[in-house]
PDB file of all heavy atoms in Angstrom:
ATOM      1  N   TRP A  34       1.356   0.792  -9.511  1.00 98.00           N
ATOM      2  CA  TRP A  34       0.348   0.127 -10.344  1.00 98.00           C
ATOM      3  C   TRP A  34      -0.945   0.902 -10.555  1.00 98.00           C
ATOM      4  O   TRP A  34      -1.756   0.514 -11.384  1.00 98.00           O
ATOM      5  CB  TRP A  34       0.091  -1.294  -9.848  1.00 98.00           C
ATOM      6  CG  TRP A  34      -0.262  -1.472  -8.391  1.00 98.00           C
ATOM      7  CD1 TRP A  34      -1.504  -1.477  -7.855  1.00 98.00           C
ATOM      8  CD2 TRP A  34       0.637  -1.736  -7.291  1.00 98.00           C
ATOM      9  NE1 TRP A  34      -1.441  -1.707  -6.497  1.00 98.00           N
ATOM     10  CE2 TRP A  34      -0.136  -1.866  -6.123  1.00 98.00           C
ATOM     11  CE3 TRP A  34       2.028  -1.856  -7.194  1.00 98.00           C
ATOM     12  CZ2 TRP A  34       0.430  -2.130  -4.866  1.00 98.00           C
ATOM     13  CZ3 TRP A  34       2.587  -2.108  -5.938  1.00 98.00           C
ATOM     14  CH2 TRP A  34       1.797  -2.245  -4.810  1.00 98.00           C
ATOM     15  N   VAL A  39      -2.460  -1.865 -13.135  1.00 98.00           N
ATOM     16  CA  VAL A  39      -1.708  -3.077 -12.806  1.00 98.00           C
ATOM     17  C   VAL A  39      -1.284  -3.830 -14.071  1.00 98.00           C
ATOM     18  O   VAL A  39      -1.256  -5.060 -14.098  1.00 98.00           O
ATOM     19  CB  VAL A  39      -2.487  -4.035 -11.859  1.00 98.00           C
ATOM     20  CG1 VAL A  39      -1.517  -4.812 -10.950  1.00 98.00           C
ATOM     21  CG2 VAL A  39      -3.478  -3.312 -10.956  1.00 98.00           C
ATOM     22  N   ILE A  52      -6.411 -10.507 -10.240  1.00 93.00           N
ATOM     23  CA  ILE A  52      -6.446  -9.041 -10.172  1.00 93.00           C
ATOM     24  C   ILE A  52      -7.294  -8.568 -11.351  1.00 93.00           C
ATOM     25  O   ILE A  52      -7.152  -9.054 -12.458  1.00 93.00           O
ATOM     26  CB  ILE A  52      -5.017  -8.449 -10.319  1.00 93.00           C
ATOM     27  CG1 ILE A  52      -4.188  -8.754  -9.087  1.00 93.00           C
ATOM     28  CG2 ILE A  52      -5.063  -6.984 -10.606  1.00 93.00           C
ATOM     29  CD1 ILE A  52      -4.211  -7.700  -8.028  1.00 93.00           C
ATOM     30  N   HIS A  88       6.117  -3.394  -8.532  1.00 98.00           N
ATOM     31  CA  HIS A  88       5.777  -4.806  -8.665  1.00 98.00           C
ATOM     32  C   HIS A  88       6.752  -5.437  -9.649  1.00 98.00           C
ATOM     33  O   HIS A  88       7.243  -4.772 -10.562  1.00 98.00           O
ATOM     34  CB  HIS A  88       4.351  -4.947  -9.204  1.00 98.00           C
ATOM     35  CG  HIS A  88       3.464  -5.733  -8.313  1.00 98.00           C
ATOM     36  ND1 HIS A  88       3.576  -7.101  -8.207  1.00 98.00           N
ATOM     37  CD2 HIS A  88       2.463  -5.364  -7.469  1.00 98.00           C
ATOM     38  CE1 HIS A  88       2.663  -7.532  -7.338  1.00 98.00           C
ATOM     39  NE2 HIS A  88       1.979  -6.493  -6.859  1.00 98.00           N
ATOM     40  N   ASN A 126       7.422  -5.966  -4.738  1.00 99.00           N
ATOM     41  CA  ASN A 126       6.433  -7.056  -4.660  1.00 99.00           C
ATOM     42  C   ASN A 126       6.693  -8.087  -5.745  1.00 99.00           C
ATOM     43  O   ASN A 126       6.762  -7.721  -6.921  1.00 99.00           O
ATOM     44  CB  ASN A 126       5.005  -6.527  -4.968  1.00 99.00           C
ATOM     45  CG  ASN A 126       4.592  -5.373  -4.095  1.00 99.00           C
ATOM     46  OD1 ASN A 126       3.813  -5.548  -3.182  1.00 99.00           O
ATOM     47  ND2 ASN A 126       5.100  -4.189  -4.373  1.00 99.00           N
ATOM     48  N   PHE A 130       0.642 -13.090 -10.291  1.00 98.00           N
ATOM     49  CA  PHE A 130      -0.608 -13.066 -11.080  1.00 98.00           C
ATOM     50  C   PHE A 130      -0.258 -12.611 -12.493  1.00 98.00           C
ATOM     51  O   PHE A 130       0.921 -12.390 -12.805  1.00 98.00           O
ATOM     52  CB  PHE A 130      -1.653 -12.144 -10.427  1.00 98.00           C
ATOM     53  CG  PHE A 130      -1.153 -10.769 -10.066  1.00 98.00           C
ATOM     54  CD1 PHE A 130      -1.069  -9.769 -11.022  1.00 98.00           C
ATOM     55  CD2 PHE A 130      -0.744 -10.473  -8.770  1.00 98.00           C
ATOM     56  CE1 PHE A 130      -0.597  -8.502 -10.703  1.00 98.00           C
ATOM     57  CE2 PHE A 130      -0.275  -9.200  -8.432  1.00 98.00           C
ATOM     58  CZ  PHE A 130      -0.205  -8.218  -9.404  1.00 98.00           C
ATOM     59  N   ASN A 177       6.476  -7.311  -0.357  1.00 99.00           N
ATOM     60  CA  ASN A 177       5.210  -7.917   0.047  1.00 99.00           C
ATOM     61  C   ASN A 177       4.820  -9.105  -0.827  1.00 99.00           C
ATOM     62  O   ASN A 177       4.823  -9.025  -2.044  1.00 99.00           O
ATOM     63  CB  ASN A 177       4.091  -6.867  -0.008  1.00 99.00           C
ATOM     64  CG  ASN A 177       2.766  -7.456   0.434  1.00 99.00           C
ATOM     65  OD1 ASN A 177       2.681  -8.106   1.468  1.00 99.00           O
ATOM     66  ND2 ASN A 177       1.740  -7.290  -0.382  1.00 99.00           N
ATOM     67  N   TRP A 179       1.904 -11.367  -1.968  1.00 98.00           N
ATOM     68  CA  TRP A 179       0.456 -11.605  -2.076  1.00 98.00           C
ATOM     69  C   TRP A 179       0.221 -12.603  -3.211  1.00 98.00           C
ATOM     70  O   TRP A 179       0.708 -12.402  -4.322  1.00 98.00           O
ATOM     71  CB  TRP A 179      -0.339 -10.319  -2.348  1.00 98.00           C
ATOM     72  CG  TRP A 179      -1.780 -10.686  -2.560  1.00 98.00           C
ATOM     73  CD1 TRP A 179      -2.670 -11.073  -1.620  1.00 98.00           C
ATOM     74  CD2 TRP A 179      -2.470 -10.801  -3.820  1.00 98.00           C
ATOM     75  NE1 TRP A 179      -3.866 -11.423  -2.208  1.00 98.00           N
ATOM     76  CE2 TRP A 179      -3.774 -11.257  -3.542  1.00 98.00           C
ATOM     77  CE3 TRP A 179      -2.107 -10.565  -5.167  1.00 98.00           C
ATOM     78  CZ2 TRP A 179      -4.723 -11.485  -4.549  1.00 98.00           C
ATOM     79  CZ3 TRP A 179      -3.050 -10.788  -6.155  1.00 98.00           C
ATOM     80  CH2 TRP A 179      -4.351 -11.238  -5.840  1.00 98.00           C
ATOM     81  N   GLU A 221       0.646 -10.874   2.896  1.00 98.00           N
ATOM     82  CA  GLU A 221      -0.683 -10.248   2.869  1.00 98.00           C
ATOM     83  C   GLU A 221      -1.811 -11.278   2.841  1.00 98.00           C
ATOM     84  O   GLU A 221      -1.807 -12.216   2.056  1.00 98.00           O
ATOM     85  CB  GLU A 221      -0.774  -9.353   1.620  1.00 98.00           C
ATOM     86  CG  GLU A 221      -2.102  -8.641   1.443  1.00 98.00           C
ATOM     87  CD  GLU A 221      -2.089  -7.674   0.257  1.00 98.00           C
ATOM     88  OE1 GLU A 221      -1.091  -7.656  -0.505  1.00 98.00           O
ATOM     89  OE2 GLU A 221      -3.066  -6.940   0.094  1.00 98.00           O
ATOM     90  N   LYS A 223      -6.082 -12.273   2.637  1.00 98.00           N
ATOM     91  CA  LYS A 223      -7.285 -11.818   1.921  1.00 98.00           C
ATOM     92  C   LYS A 223      -8.438 -12.744   2.237  1.00 98.00           C
ATOM     93  O   LYS A 223      -8.263 -13.958   2.384  1.00 98.00           O
ATOM     94  CB  LYS A 223      -7.020 -11.802   0.415  1.00 98.00           C
ATOM     95  CG  LYS A 223      -8.097 -11.089  -0.391  1.00 98.00           C
ATOM     96  CD  LYS A 223      -7.635 -10.792  -1.803  1.00 98.00           C
ATOM     97  CE  LYS A 223      -8.731 -10.064  -2.581  1.00 98.00           C
ATOM     98  NZ  LYS A 223      -8.278  -9.573  -3.878  1.00 98.00           N
ATOM     99  N   ASP A 254      -4.496  -5.524   4.519  1.00 98.00           N
ATOM    100  CA  ASP A 254      -5.050  -4.682   3.451  1.00 98.00           C
ATOM    101  C   ASP A 254      -6.459  -4.295   3.870  1.00 98.00           C
ATOM    102  O   ASP A 254      -7.280  -5.172   4.189  1.00 98.00           O
ATOM    103  CB  ASP A 254      -5.045  -5.459   2.118  1.00 98.00           C
ATOM    104  CG  ASP A 254      -5.526  -4.608   0.958  1.00 98.00           C
ATOM    105  OD1 ASP A 254      -6.610  -4.018   1.070  1.00 98.00           O
ATOM    106  OD2 ASP A 254      -4.825  -4.563  -0.073  1.00 98.00           O
ATOM    107  N   HIS A 257      -9.492  -6.238   2.447  1.00 98.00           N
ATOM    108  CA  HIS A 257      -9.489  -7.701   2.453  1.00 98.00           C
ATOM    109  C   HIS A 257     -10.250  -8.347   3.602  1.00 98.00           C
ATOM    110  O   HIS A 257      -9.898  -9.446   4.032  1.00 98.00           O
ATOM    111  CB  HIS A 257      -8.045  -8.217   2.429  1.00 98.00           C
ATOM    112  CG  HIS A 257      -7.375  -7.971   1.118  1.00 98.00           C
ATOM    113  ND1 HIS A 257      -6.140  -8.484   0.807  1.00 98.00           N
ATOM    114  CD2 HIS A 257      -7.776  -7.291   0.017  1.00 98.00           C
ATOM    115  CE1 HIS A 257      -5.797  -8.116  -0.404  1.00 98.00           C
ATOM    116  NE2 HIS A 257      -6.774  -7.374  -0.906  1.00 98.00           N
ATOM    117  N   HIS A 281      -1.755  -2.051   3.722  1.00 98.00           N
ATOM    118  CA  HIS A 281      -2.196  -1.588   2.403  1.00 98.00           C
ATOM    119  C   HIS A 281      -3.429  -0.735   2.622  1.00 98.00           C
ATOM    120  O   HIS A 281      -4.475  -1.235   3.057  1.00 98.00           O
ATOM    121  CB  HIS A 281      -2.541  -2.761   1.482  1.00 98.00           C
ATOM    122  CG  HIS A 281      -1.366  -3.241   0.694  1.00 98.00           C
ATOM    123  ND1 HIS A 281      -1.453  -4.269  -0.226  1.00 98.00           N
ATOM    124  CD2 HIS A 281      -0.072  -2.823   0.678  1.00 98.00           C
ATOM    125  CE1 HIS A 281      -0.257  -4.455  -0.759  1.00 98.00           C
ATOM    126  NE2 HIS A 281       0.594  -3.610  -0.227  1.00 98.00           N
ATOM    127  N   SER A 290     -12.027  -4.526  -3.723  1.00 92.00           N
ATOM    128  CA  SER A 290     -11.219  -4.137  -2.557  1.00 92.00           C
ATOM    129  C   SER A 290     -10.307  -2.959  -2.865  1.00 92.00           C
ATOM    130  O   SER A 290      -9.470  -2.619  -2.059  1.00 92.00           O
ATOM    131  CB  SER A 290     -10.397  -5.331  -2.088  1.00 92.00           C
ATOM    132  OG  SER A 290      -9.474  -5.718  -3.076  1.00 92.00           O
ATOM    133  N   ASP A 291     -10.465  -2.329  -4.014  1.00 95.00           N
ATOM    134  CA  ASP A 291      -9.417  -1.398  -4.450  1.00 95.00           C
ATOM    135  C   ASP A 291      -9.899  -0.056  -4.994  1.00 95.00           C
ATOM    136  O   ASP A 291      -9.345   0.437  -5.974  1.00 95.00           O
ATOM    137  CB  ASP A 291      -8.559  -2.099  -5.511  1.00 95.00           C
ATOM    138  CG  ASP A 291      -7.896  -3.348  -4.964  1.00 95.00           C
ATOM    139  OD1 ASP A 291      -6.999  -3.209  -4.131  1.00 95.00           O
ATOM    140  OD2 ASP A 291      -8.292  -4.458  -5.370  1.00 95.00           O
ATOM    141  N   ASP A 320      -2.768   0.968  -1.832  1.00 98.00           N
ATOM    142  CA  ASP A 320      -3.066  -0.119  -2.765  1.00 98.00           C
ATOM    143  C   ASP A 320      -4.503   0.015  -3.284  1.00 98.00           C
ATOM    144  O   ASP A 320      -5.437  -0.444  -2.622  1.00 98.00           O
ATOM    145  CB  ASP A 320      -2.858  -1.491  -2.094  1.00 98.00           C
ATOM    146  CG  ASP A 320      -3.132  -2.634  -3.069  1.00 98.00           C
ATOM    147  OD1 ASP A 320      -3.134  -2.383  -4.287  1.00 98.00           O
ATOM    148  OD2 ASP A 320      -3.347  -3.766  -2.597  1.00 98.00           O
ATOM    149  N   PHE A 322      -6.611   0.736  -7.393  1.00 97.00           N
ATOM    150  CA  PHE A 322      -6.412   1.003  -8.828  1.00 97.00           C
ATOM    151  C   PHE A 322      -7.767   1.195  -9.484  1.00 97.00           C
ATOM    152  O   PHE A 322      -8.617   0.321  -9.449  1.00 97.00           O
ATOM    153  CB  PHE A 322      -5.625  -0.107  -9.512  1.00 97.00           C
ATOM    154  CG  PHE A 322      -5.749  -1.470  -8.893  1.00 97.00           C
ATOM    155  CD1 PHE A 322      -6.683  -2.385  -9.371  1.00 97.00           C
ATOM    156  CD2 PHE A 322      -4.937  -1.839  -7.831  1.00 97.00           C
ATOM    157  CE1 PHE A 322      -6.798  -3.653  -8.796  1.00 97.00           C
ATOM    158  CE2 PHE A 322      -5.054  -3.092  -7.250  1.00 97.00           C
ATOM    159  CZ  PHE A 322      -5.982  -4.001  -7.726  1.00 97.00           C
TER     160      PHE A 322
HETATM  161  C1  RNT B  24      -4.769  -7.875  -4.149  1.00 85.04           C
HETATM  162  C2  RNT B  24      -3.809  -7.380  -3.120  1.00 85.04           C
HETATM  163  C3  RNT B  24      -2.446  -6.993  -3.623  1.00 85.04           C
HETATM  164  C4  RNT B  24      -2.462  -6.256  -4.948  1.00 85.04           C
HETATM  165  C5  RNT B  24      -1.142  -5.690  -5.377  1.00 85.04           C
HETATM  166  C6  RNT B  24      -1.154  -5.235  -6.801  1.00 85.04           C
HETATM  167  O1  RNT B  24      -6.020  -8.096  -3.662  1.00 85.04           O
HETATM  168  O2  RNT B  24      -4.370  -6.326  -2.416  1.00 85.04           O
HETATM  169  O3  RNT B  24      -1.776  -6.255  -2.666  1.00 85.04           O
HETATM  170  O4  RNT B  24      -3.410  -5.233  -4.947  1.00 85.04           O
HETATM  171  O5  RNT B  24      -0.147  -6.587  -5.133  1.00 85.04           O
END
Side-chain angles (χ1 to χ4, degrees):
W34 53 91
V39 211
I52 290 267
H88 238 286
N126 305 256
F130 50 81
N177 181 49
W179 175 73
E221 179 175 7
K223 192 166 181 172
D254 184 308
H257 290 188
H281 270 182
S290 64
D291 300 290
D320 181 18
F322 27 95

